Amino acid sequence: MKETPLNLLREIVKGSGPIRVGGMTYYVRNGKFQACASKRAGRKERTEKEIASSDHFAEVRTLWKMYRRAVGELPVWRMAAREVGAAKSDSLFHSLNGACVRPQEGVWAFSAFRFATGSLDVPVLKSVQREGWQVALEWENDGAQAEVRKKDRVYVGYFYDTQPQVPQLALTENGRRQDGRILINIPPMGQPEGTPLHLYLFFGSEKNDRFSPSVYLLAE
């Protein structure tokens, strides 16, 4: 019997089920005659570059989740994304911080990492002093602009040097930009005494609808 679509259809209707001929499989679905290649190409094995890219993306995604857990409802990156027209806050976070992160390690380039970003004036840091787990930060206020922004809230993000995958946000109570100084107490969390702290000072408006870029400082 010549293998024609009509003959194949007749055989399938008789109850033969799918029929394979010349590398093709013929069958009936929803009353329609269908055909597809019998042997489909197997999934291409990923290259080392593709694996590395996937691992890096997964690490940044994990860091983003930990960041959101640390800051809670503080909409730092959502406001920043809105200001620059970015589609998503996590995409902006990834684009600015991706190069600071290594797979399975977390943040490695602490000084380049941006804990916050936005359109408010960046803090101008004067000094950092540390005694045990207590840290004092001082910044400059400049004339008329300082008067306009004097009620901006003060925030301090940080990493323990031993936990580069776990961003934290310090409790700063009622600190304001006009104060020029803030004293924060970092919880030891079982860390060895003297563990270096990677700190990020930034400001937010009273309504938390604008934020400043963060400024990095190391407290040893």
Side-chain angles (χ1 to χ4, degrees):
M1 181 179 67
K2 185 177 181 181
E3 303 294 0
T4 66
L6 181 58
N7 288 333
L8 291 171
L9 178 59
R10 288 170 178 167
E11 291 298 315
I12 295 172
V13 170
K14 287 179 181 179
S16 300
I19 296 178
R20 294 177 175 82
V21 177
M24 298 294 293
T25 297
Y26 299 91
Y27 58 97
V28 172
R29 175 181 291 174
N30 297 326
K32 294 183 179 181
F33 187 57
Q34 306 284 342
C36 67
S38 298
K39 293 184 179 180
R40 297 182 180 180
R43 181 173 177 175
K44 183 180 178 182
E45 193 169 323
R46 294 193 302 168
T47 66
E48 290 186 7
K49 184 176 181 180
E50 289 172 333
I51 293 174
S53 177
S54 177
D55 290 347
H56 179 262
F57 180 81
E59 186 69 23
V60 178
R61 290 296 303 173
T62 299
L63 183 66
W64 169 246
K65 291 179 182 179
M66 297 301 293
Y67 176 92
R68 291 188 63 187
R69 183 180 300 176
V71 303
E73 297 299 319
L74 198 65
V76 177
W77 290 88
R78 180 158 55 87
M79 295 297 103
R82 182 179 298 175
E83 289 177 342
V84 299
K88 295 182 179 180
S89 54
D90 56 343
S91 298
L92 181 61
F93 180 90
H94 193 141
S95 67
L96 295 181
N97 286 324
C100 304
V101 178
R102 287 175 177 160
Q104 288 80 52
E105 294 183 25
V107 176
W108 68 274
F110 288 102
S111 61
F113 182 81
R114 301 191 193 188
F115 204 97
T117 190
S119 60
L120 288 185
D121 288 346
V122 64
V124 179
L125 188 66
K126 288 177 61 177
S127 68
V128 54
Q129 297 179 333
R130 176 180 178 181
E131 290 187 12
W133 295 104
Q134 189 174 77
V135 180
L137 307 176
E138 293 188 23
W139 59 89
E140 295 183 11
N141 284 318
D142 179 33
Q145 183 62 16
E147 179 64 23
V148 172
R149 306 302 323 174
K150 66 181 182 180
K151 293 185 178 181
D152 285 346
R153 302 173 187 272
V154 180
Y155 296 101
V156 180
Y158 66 95
F159 287 85
Y160 298 104
D161 188 64
T162 54
Q163 297 184 356
Q165 295 173 305
V166 187
Q168 308 275 2
L169 186 67
L171 296 176
T172 55
E173 297 184 357
N174 296 316
R176 293 291 186 267
R177 186 194 287 256
Q178 65 182 355
D179 301 334
R181 185 177 188 274
I182 196 166
L183 189 66
I184 58 174
N185 292 292
I186 304 294
M189 297 293 289
Q191 299 296 309
E193 188 68 28
T195 297
L197 296 169
H198 303 279
L199 306 173
Y200 300 86
L201 172 67
F202 63 101
F203 299 137
S205 65
E206 283 191 281
K207 296 181 180 180
N208 281 333
D209 57 358
R210 293 178 65 196
F211 294 88
S212 76
S214 54
V215 173
Y216 169 78
L217 47 146
L218 176 64
E220 295 182 293

